[in-house]
């Protein structure tokens, strides 16, 4: 090897070494920036501050009504007309509560409705917020915790879902007996001791007695109500046919973008939970189907009247 070749090799190796150090240095800088940035895992959940917000929102609502709700109801996409079955006393827009999570999705009005239904005081979420809107799981379930703080001990959750079971047709209902959640738990972070224990069991999270009563009511009114397993995914994109195939292999009957983490938060608060899926469509690829939000909303509106019938008879039994 002559001197010229040696010099060239030394120069090449030198350049490689310097480049490697530069890359390593840049990577370290990026890691440090990530650690210091919001949402990187370094922002510690402040349970005390969060619970103070829950109490403050509850107090603001109490100032506007004498209603002390026994039952909380969460309305899914397109089910806003359900309010026609409620004797409304007070409407509290989410936007009137400073810093409160705001719904950005068409079909979710964004109001707390307080009134009576079937002789019981109720609070209804006319529209919810979702994880896919950019909220943390803790923010998604904050409205639920406010309703619990106001006095609700039972919650009826509704949501529009896709069917993964060919026997569960669009236009029918399913009461959830168990779920799988693909969304981070709302209980992550410091526990809110005022609401519940650090570690809670989830078997039996859905009240079996409410399920049985609902089934009896549905039969009496010739409303198709199945029972099955639900999976919550993040959204906002609808699932791929491959994902639908996977969830079907897991034994799931329906899929949606809400409600499971709400059920987790409700169980943490020791609330009785009933989750009613409004089946609006088949999953992507099932029979060549392609879902759309317009289809979901339209079918939900058609199902609202049957939902009113079922809850009008279920609520007095709670």
């Amino acid at each position: 090897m002559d001197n010229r070749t040696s010099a060239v090799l030394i120069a090449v190796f030198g350049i490689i070494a310097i480049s490697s150090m530069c890359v390593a240095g840049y990577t370290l800088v990026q890691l440090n920036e990530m650690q210091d940035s919001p949402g990187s895992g370094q922002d510690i959940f402040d349970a005390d501050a969060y619970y103070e917000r829950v109490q403050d929102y509850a107090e603001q609502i109490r100032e506007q009504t004498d209603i002390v709700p026994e039952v909380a109801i969460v309305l899914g996409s397109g089910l806003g007309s359900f309010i026609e079955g409620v004797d409304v006393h007070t409407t509290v827009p989410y936007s009137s509560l400073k810093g409160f999570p705001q719904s950005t999705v068409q079909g979710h009005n964004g109001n707390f409705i307080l009134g009576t239904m079937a002789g019981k005081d109720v609070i209804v979420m006319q529209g919810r917020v979702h994880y896919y809107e950019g909220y943390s799981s803790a923010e998604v379930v904050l409205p639920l915790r406010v309703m619990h703080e106001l006095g609700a001990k039972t919650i009826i959750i509704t949501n529009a879902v896709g069917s993964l079971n060919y026997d569960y047709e669009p236009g029918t209902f399913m009461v959830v007996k168990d779920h799988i959640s693909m969304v981070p738990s709302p209980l992550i972070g410091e526990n809110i001791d005022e609401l519940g224990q650090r570690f809670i069991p989830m078997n039996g999270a859905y009240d079996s007695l409410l399920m049985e009563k609902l089934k009896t009511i549905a039969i009496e009114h010739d409303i198709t109500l199945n029972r099955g397993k639900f999976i919550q995914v993040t959204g906002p994109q609808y699932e791929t046919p491959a994902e639908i195939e996977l969830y079907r292999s897991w034994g799931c009957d329906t899929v949606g973008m809400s409600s499971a983490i709400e059920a987790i938060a409700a169980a943490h608060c020791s609330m009785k939970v009933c989750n009613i899926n409004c089946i609006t469509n088949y999953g992507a690829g099932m029979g060549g189907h392609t879902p759309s939000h317009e289809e979901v909303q339209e079918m939900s509106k058609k199902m609202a009247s049957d939902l009113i019938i079922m809850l009008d008879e279920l609520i007095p039994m709670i």
Side-chain angles (χ1 to χ4, degrees), residues 71-74 144 147 153-157 266 271-274:
V71 180
I73 303 169
V74 182
L144 178 150
M147 294 192 293
K153 298 292 185 283
T154 299
I155 186 163
I156 299 169
I157 303 170
M271 299 177 79
K272 292 181 179 179
V273 182
C274 182

Side-chain angles (χ1 to χ4, degrees), residues 9-19 21:
L9 288 174
I10 291 171
V12 169
F13 285 127
I15 291 170
I16 292 173
I18 293 170
S19 299
M21 287 188 289

Side-chain angles (χ1 to χ4, degrees), residues 176-254:
V176 176
K177 66 178 181 180
D178 205 350
H179 76 239
I180 294 173
S181 178
M182 304 295 284
V183 177
S185 169
L187 308 184
I188 291 173
E190 182 184 5
N191 187 53
I192 306 172
D193 295 331
E194 293 86 352
L195 296 180
Q197 300 176 3
R198 167 79 285 186
F199 302 103
I200 59 165
M202 286 302 295
N203 53 317
Y206 297 99
D207 191 90
S208 58
L209 187 56
L210 290 177
M211 280 189 246
E212 291 301 326
K213 290 177 178 178
L214 195 64
K215 183 64 177 177
T216 300
I217 293 167
I219 291 172
E220 289 174 352
H221 292 276
D222 197 27
I223 296 171
T224 302
L225 175 72
N226 292 295
R227 185 182 302 193
K229 298 175 184 176
F230 166 73
I231 181 167
Q232 180 180 353
V233 295
T234 64
Q237 75 282 354
Y238 287 107
E239 306 74 35
T240 66
E243 289 168 334
I244 293 296
E245 185 178 347
L246 175 64
Y247 303 152
R248 280 170 49 82
S249 74
W250 288 353
C252 299
D253 298 291
T254 56

